[in-house]
C-alpha cells in the first residue's frame, strides 16, 4: 500500500484543516452563533456542498476511470472541462441576478426579511462553485500522475484568505464581517487555481490540455463522453451522501432555535478533520492505483490494498471516534469558547459533535469500500446505496429534530452512515469483508478501543475539572 503518498496527502489535508479550524475559531469569536453567522453559513452552504462533492472524490471517481480508458486523453479532458465550466458559469450568472429563490430553498424556515438580507451573500459565494470545479479538474489531472500534495495543501489558501479577512475586519459590525468573508472565499478560490496551474506546468501536464484543444475537432471522443455521462450523475449521488445529508440538516435547522445552523457547522468542522486526514486522504491516494489494477484485471493487488487500508482506517478512525465522543467538551471549549461564543453555545455544540462522531467509523470505511464500486464502473449500484442511506438519514432527521434539536439532526446523519457502510460492504462482497475481520487484528482492535476509552474517560474528567476552574 502506498503509505508515503497517503501520509503526504494526510499531512497536506491536516494543514488545510488546521488552518480551517483557525478560521472557524476567529469566526466564532467575531460572529458567535448569531443571526449573521447563520446567514453566512447558509450563503456558503451550497458552494461548500459542491466543493466537498467535487473536491472529495465525486467528480474524480467518475472522471478517472473514463480518463484512464480514453484513447485520446487530452481531447476527452478538454471536452469535459469546457462542458462543465460553461454550464456552471451560466448557472452562476442566473444566481447572481436571482439570488432570493435559491436562498429561500436553503433556508425554508426563515422569514422573508432575513432571506432578503442573506440573498446578496448567496450571490457572491456561489461563484466559488466555478472556481472549485476548475481546481478539482486540475487536481484530477495531477492525481493521474500520482501527485497529491498540491491539492491537499491548497485548501489552506482558502482558509488563509478568510483568516486575513477576519483579522482585518474583526472589530467591524457583523454585516461587514459577513461580506468580507464572502469576498475572501472568491480570492481563496483564485489562489487555489493558481497553485494547481503552477504544479501542472512543472509536471508538463499542460501539454495534454493544449493538445486536447488543438486536436479537439480531429479526434472522435463522443463514445467516451457518453460513457462518462453515464457514470457522472450516479457517481455524484453515490459519493455525496454525507454532504447532501448535512445540506438537508442545515435546511431543517432553520426551523429550530437561532444558532442551530451554527452549532451544526462548528461541530461538523471538527468531525470532518479526522474523516478528511484519515479516510479521504487514504481513498484519494488509492483510487488511481485501484482503477488501474482493476482495468488490468489485477484483482489480487487491488484487494491487497483494501485489506491493508481497512485496518489502518479501523484503528485510526476508531480512536478518533472514541476521542471525539469522550473529549467533545474540552475540544469545543478549546476551539470556540471565546468572544461572542458563550458557555451555553459550547454545550449545544458538544451535544451535536458527539452525535456526529457516532458515524465517523462507518462513513470512513464506506469511503474505502466504495472505491471498488467506482473503479469497476458500478456507479449506479453506489448511487442506489447512497439513496438508501439518504432516505434513512432524512427520515430520522424529521423524527429526531424536535425532541433532540440540532443533536437529533447529527445523530440521524450518523445512522445514515451505518446504513451506507453496511450496504456498500454487501455490494463489494460480504465474504471479502468477513475474510478481512476474521483475524487476530479484530481482537487487537477491540482491546485497543477499550483501553483507549478508559484512558480518555479519565483524561476528560481531569480536563473538565481544569476548565471549570477557569
Amino acid at each position: 500500500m502506498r503509505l508515503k503518498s497517503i501520509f503526504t496527502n494526510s499531512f497536506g489535508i491536516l494543514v488545510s484543516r488546521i488552518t480551517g479550524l483557525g478560521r472557524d475559531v476567529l469566526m466564532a469569536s467575531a460572529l458567535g452563533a448569531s443571526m449573521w453567522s447563520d446567514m453566512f453559513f447558509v450563503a456558503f452552504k451550497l458552494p461548500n456542498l459542491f466543493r466537498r462533492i467535487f473536491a472529495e472524490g465525486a467528480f474524480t471517481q467518475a472522471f478517472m476511470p473514463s480518463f484512464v480508458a480514453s484513447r485520446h486523453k487530452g481531447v476527452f479532458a478538454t471536452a469535459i472541462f469546457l462542458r462543465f465550466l460553461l454550464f456552471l458559469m451560466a448557472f452562476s450568472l442566473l444566481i447572481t441576478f436571482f439570488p432570493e429563490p435559491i436562498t429561500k430553498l436553503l433556508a425554508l424556515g426563515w422569514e422573508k426579511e432575513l432571506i432578503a438580507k442573506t440573498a446578496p451573500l448567496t450571490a457572491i459565494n456561489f461563484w466559488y462553485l466555478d472556481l472549485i470545479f476548475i481546481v478539482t479538474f486540475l487536481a484530477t489531472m495531477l492525481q493521474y500522475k500520482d501527485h497529491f500534495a498540491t491539492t491537499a495543501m491548497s485548501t489552506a489558501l482558502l482558509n488563509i484568505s478568510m483568516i486575513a479577512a477576519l483579522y482585518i475586519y474583526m472589530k467591524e459590525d457583523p454585516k461587514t464581517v459577513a461580506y468580507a468573508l464572502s469576498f475572501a472565499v472568491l480570492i481563496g478560490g483564485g489562489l487555489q487555481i493558481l497553485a494547481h496551474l503552477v504544479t501542472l506546468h512543472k509536471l508538463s501536464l499542460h501539454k495534454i490540455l493544449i493538445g486536447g484543444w488543438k486536436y479537439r475537432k480531429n479526434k472522435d471522443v463522443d463514445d467516451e463522453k457518453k460513457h462518462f455521462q453515464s457514470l457522472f450523475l450516479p457517481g455524484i449521488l453515490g459519493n455525496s451522501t454525507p454532504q447532501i445529508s448535512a445540506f438537508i440538516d442545515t435546511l431543517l435547522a432553520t426551523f429550530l432555535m437561532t444558532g442551530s445552523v451554527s452549532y451544526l457547522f462548528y461541530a461538523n468542522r471538527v468531525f470532518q478533520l479526522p474523516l478528511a486526514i484519515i479516510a479521504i486522504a487514504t481513498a484519494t491516494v488509492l483510487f488511481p492505483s485501484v482503477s488501474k489494477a482493476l482495468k488490468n484485471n489485477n484483482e489480487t493487488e487491488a484487494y491487497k490494498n483494501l485489506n491493508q487500508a481497512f485496518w489502518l482506517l479501523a484503528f485510526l478512525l476508531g480512536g478518533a471516534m472514541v476521542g471525539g465522543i469522550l473529549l467533545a467538551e474540552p475540544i469545543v471549549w478549546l476551539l470556540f469558547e471565546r468572544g461572542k461564543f458563550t458557555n451555553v453555545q459550547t454545550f449545544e455544540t458538544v451535544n451535536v459533535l458527539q452525535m456526529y462522531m457516532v458515524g465517523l467509523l462507518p462513513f470512513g470505511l464506506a469511503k474505502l469500500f466504495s472505491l471498488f464500486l467506482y473503479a469497476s464502473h458500478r456507479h449506479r449500484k453506489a448511487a442506489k446505496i447512497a439513496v438508501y442511506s439518504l432516505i434513512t438519514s432524512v427520515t430520522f432527521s424529521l423524527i429526531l429534530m424536535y425532541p433532540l434539536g440540532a443533536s437529533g439532526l447529527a445523530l440521524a446523519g450518523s445512522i445514515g452512515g451505518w446504513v451506507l457502510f453496511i450496504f456498500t460492504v454487501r455490494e463489494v462482497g460480504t465474504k471479502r469483508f468477513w475474510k478481512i475481520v476474521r483475524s487476530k487484528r479484530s481482537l487487537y482492535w477491540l482491546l485497543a478501543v477499550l483501553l483507549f476509552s478508559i484512558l480518555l474517560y479519565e483524561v476528560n474528567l481531569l480536563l473538565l475539572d481544569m476548565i471549570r476552574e477557569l
Side-chain angles (χ1 to χ4, degrees):
M1 192 172 61
R2 312 182 65 171
L3 288 176
K4 182 178 179 180
S5 295
I6 290 173
F7 287 126
T8 299
N9 198 35
S10 294
F11 178 75
I13 293 175
L14 178 62
V15 171
S16 294
R17 296 298 168 133
I18 288 174
T19 56
L21 285 173
R23 175 201 71 190
D24 295 340
V25 167
L26 286 176
M27 201 181 305
S29 180
L31 297 175
S34 63
M35 179 187 73
W36 279 100
S37 66
D38 281 1
M39 286 168 59
F40 174 75
F41 293 143
V42 165
F44 190 47
K45 191 64 183 180
L46 193 59
N48 198 41
L49 166 69
F50 284 104
R51 179 193 67 80
R52 289 182 176 177
I53 290 174
F54 278 125
E56 294 177 1
F59 176 82
T60 302
Q61 289 174 353
F63 181 81
M64 183 69 76
S66 300
F67 185 72
V68 168
S70 176
R71 294 173 299 167
H72 310 293
K73 289 180 171 54
V75 177
F76 171 72
T78 303
I80 297 299
F81 175 76
L82 290 175
R83 178 174 297 186
F84 271 80
L85 185 60
L86 291 174
F87 172 78
L88 290 174
M89 289 182 68
F91 194 26
S92 297
L93 282 171
L94 182 65
I95 299 301
T96 298
F97 290 112
F98 305 101
E100 289 199 22
I102 194 71
T103 305
K104 179 64 177 176
L105 288 175
L106 298 174
L108 290 175
W110 284 3
E111 296 178 357
K112 187 176 181 179
E113 182 180 351
L114 193 54
I115 294 292
K117 288 182 179 179
T118 309
L121 297 176
T122 303
I124 297 169
N125 280 275
F126 200 85
W127 283 98
Y128 183 64
L129 176 55
D130 302 66
L131 302 176
I132 203 59
F133 166 70
I134 299 173
V135 170
T136 303
F137 176 82
L138 298 176
T140 305
M141 300 294 293
L142 296 179
Q143 288 175 28
Y144 178 71
K145 288 294 185 179
D146 297 322
H147 179 88
F148 305 95
T150 298
T151 303
M153 295 284 289
S154 69
T155 307
L157 296 173
L158 169 67
N159 297 328
I160 290 170
S161 176
M162 296 176 73
I163 288 171
L166 285 165
Y167 181 77
I168 295 170
Y169 294 98
M170 174 73 74
K171 296 181 180 180
E172 301 293 333
D173 62 279
K175 179 179 178 180
T176 301
V177 174
Y179 274 89
L181 283 170
S182 298
F183 285 111
V185 166
L186 302 188
I187 295 172
L191 292 174
Q192 287 178 273
I193 292 175
L194 182 61
H196 280 79
L197 287 174
V198 170
T199 305
L200 199 79
H201 185 268
K202 287 183 178 179
L203 296 178
S204 298
L205 285 170
H206 64 288
K207 296 178 181 178
I208 294 179
L209 300 179
I210 293 173
W213 175 260
K214 183 177 180 180
Y215 296 108
R216 69 190 187 281
K217 295 181 179 179
N218 300 327
K219 304 294 183 181
D220 182 12
V221 293
D222 287 344
D223 290 340
E224 294 174 0
K225 287 191 290 185
K226 289 178 181 177
H227 180 64
F228 169 78
Q229 290 168 4
S230 70
L231 300 180
F232 178 68
L233 289 178
I236 288 291
L237 180 58
N239 196 67
S240 56
T241 299
Q243 289 78 24
I244 295 174
S245 177
F247 178 79
I248 294 173
D249 286 347
T250 298
L251 188 152
L252 294 176
T254 63
F255 291 93
L256 302 175
M257 66 179 180
T258 299
S260 293
V261 173
S262 300
Y263 301 144
L264 287 170
F265 177 85
Y266 292 128
N268 190 259
R269 288 293 299 170
V270 178
F271 167 78
Q272 288 291 332
L273 179 62
L275 184 66
I277 65 174
I278 300 171
I280 294 173
T282 301
T284 300
V285 170
L286 290 183
F287 187 62
S289 301
V290 170
S291 296
K292 293 172 185 177
L294 293 181
K295 178 180 179 292
N296 296 324
N297 297 317
N298 189 1
E299 288 193 0
T300 302
E301 180 66 21
Y303 285 105
K304 179 182 177 182
N305 283 331
L306 173 64
N307 192 331
Q308 294 173 331
F310 175 87
W311 287 111
L312 176 67
L313 296 190
F315 277 94
L316 294 179
L317 290 175
M321 181 177 71
V322 170
I325 293 172
L326 293 178
L327 299 179
E329 187 174 341
I331 290 171
V332 175
W333 173 84
L334 177 65
L335 292 176
F336 302 121
E337 191 178 314
R338 59 183 56 80
K340 296 181 181 179
F341 200 95
T342 65
N343 180 255
V344 172
Q345 293 170 350
T346 291
F347 286 121
E348 293 289 347
T349 307
V350 165
N351 293 333
V352 176
L353 176 58
Q354 289 175 327
M355 295 301 100
Y356 270 135
M357 281 296 176
V358 173
L360 179 62
L361 185 63
F363 272 126
L365 293 178
K367 189 81 176 175
L368 175 64
F369 278 89
S370 67
L371 290 183
F372 291 82
L373 299 183
Y374 295 116
S376 57
H377 299 242
R378 286 184 281 172
H379 292 60
R380 292 184 184 277
K381 288 288 187 182
K384 186 180 293 186
I385 293 169
V387 170
Y388 297 154
S389 172
L390 187 60
I391 290 173
T392 302
S393 177
V394 172
T395 301
F396 276 94
S397 290
L398 293 171
I399 294 171
L400 299 174
M401 63 181 288
Y402 286 114
L404 298 180
S407 300
L409 297 176
L411 178 58
S414 294
I415 294 171
W418 281 102
V419 171
L420 181 69
F421 170 64
I422 292 169
F423 279 90
T424 302
V425 167
R426 192 175 73 171
E427 183 60 36
V428 173
T430 306
K431 288 184 179 180
R432 292 187 186 278
F433 174 74
W434 286 116
K435 185 178 180 181
I436 293 172
V437 300
R438 202 180 293 122
S439 70
K440 291 182 179 179
R441 289 178 178 177
S442 294
L443 181 61
Y444 298 152
W445 182 83
L446 288 171
L447 185 61
V449 169
L450 177 62
L451 293 176
F452 195 53
S453 299
I454 295 172
L455 173 63
L456 290 186
Y457 178 78
E458 296 298 328
V459 170
N460 182 57
L461 293 178
L462 179 64
L463 291 175
L464 290 180
D465 286 341
M466 294 173 58
I467 290 172
R468 287 161 184 165
E469 289 177 2
L470 295 176

